[in-house]
Amino acid sequence: MNQSAIKVRYAKSFFSLAKEKNLLDTLKKDIELISKVCKQSTDFVLLLESPIVKTSKKTTLITSIFSEKIDKLTLKFLQLITKNKREIFIPSICQYFLELTREDQNIKSALLTTATKLDGAALKKIESILTEQLHAKIEFSNDVNPDIIGGMVIRIEDRQYDASVATQLKKIKQALLETELRNN
């Protein structure tokens, strides 16, 4: 079975169970924690990927790491994945589960990039405009990149709106070059 089918099958199953048990918010927090651990700890990912460490040892380690931090259902889910020798897919299963949850709850991810740090009031205003325009709840993050000079770039999932000064200057430069070429 290919990697994509594995992550989809496990994530959809766990998502369905979470909805059925009315525990989606709780289990989403658990999966976010596991995903965070996978992103921040290369040692944990190496443990999952190691063919040398026995499945029983991996299960014991995963249980000791997460037993006090996540719901028992989530822990059993991790143990099942490990027992089935699919633990290397835990990061991608978590990612897909979170995608399913965002889709189900009509949550869109947005990244706002500005040249300087914006104050809280400006961020709240932009977030409320996006929420109103997209008719969705927004998971909002802000990034500062002085290279855009001014203005902003908003990335909402797979779409990007670029209203940066740097991009406008590039467009003007391109238009001037095209005009110069036509006149020669």
Side-chain angles (χ1 to χ4, degrees):
M1 190 181 315
N2 73 18
Q3 180 181 21
S4 182
I6 292 168
K7 80 172 182 181
V8 168
R9 181 172 291 165
Y10 279 92
K12 279 187 174 181
S13 297
F14 193 58
F15 177 78
S16 296
L17 182 64
K19 294 267 297 182
E20 179 184 308
K21 300 263 185 200
N22 205 20
L23 290 170
L24 189 57
D25 289 337
T26 302
L27 301 186
K28 178 186 176 208
K29 287 177 185 164
D30 292 348
I31 296 297
E32 286 171 338
L33 173 67
I34 296 162
S35 184
K36 184 178 178 181
V37 169
C38 291
K39 287 177 184 168
Q40 293 179 348
S41 174
T42 53
D43 290 339
F44 181 70
V45 174
L46 289 173
L47 165 73
L48 297 177
E49 295 174 348
S50 175
I52 298 167
V53 180
K54 292 183 180 183
T55 301
S56 60
K57 184 68 174 170
K58 287 180 184 182
T59 303
T60 303
L61 290 169
I62 288 170
T63 302
S64 69
I65 292 168
F66 292 110
S67 65
E68 300 297 319
K69 296 173 183 77
I70 61 175
D71 190 87
K72 287 183 171 100
L73 193 58
T74 309
L75 186 60
K76 286 183 181 189
F77 178 64
L78 290 176
Q79 292 168 342
L80 174 71
I81 294 170
T82 307
K83 180 181 152 208
N84 291 342
K85 300 189 184 299
R86 303 289 196 210
E87 63 275 1
I88 63 170
F89 300 109
I90 287 174
S92 60
I93 292 168
C94 290
Q95 181 183 2
Y96 192 69
F97 176 89
L98 294 172
E99 287 174 26
L100 291 171
T101 305
R102 281 193 294 276
E103 186 178 310
D104 179 69
Q105 296 177 344
N106 195 25
I107 299 171
K108 301 215 183 279
S109 297
L111 172 64
L112 172 69
T113 304
T114 54
T116 59
K117 186 167 176 60
L118 296 179
D119 65 0
L123 291 173
K124 287 282 185 201
K125 180 71 174 166
I126 293 168
E127 185 176 356
S128 71
I129 290 169
L130 289 175
T131 299
E132 184 181 316
Q133 291 292 317
L134 299 172
H135 305 290
K137 185 177 175 190
I138 304 296
E139 281 183 348
F140 195 69
S141 57
N142 182 229
D143 190 25
V144 175
N145 180 357
D147 293 340
I148 68 168
I149 303 170
M152 68 179 82
V153 178
I154 300 175
R155 176 175 284 281
I156 303 166
E157 294 181 342
D158 62 346
R159 294 177 296 179
Q160 179 169 301
Y161 304 97
D162 191 338
S164 67
V165 172
T167 298
Q168 298 305 317
L169 289 172
K170 284 180 192 173
K171 286 179 183 178
I172 292 169
K173 179 181 177 183
Q174 186 64 35
L176 289 171
L177 288 173
E178 288 174 9
T179 303
E180 185 180 317
L181 288 175
R182 276 191 231 126
N183 292 335
N184 287 335

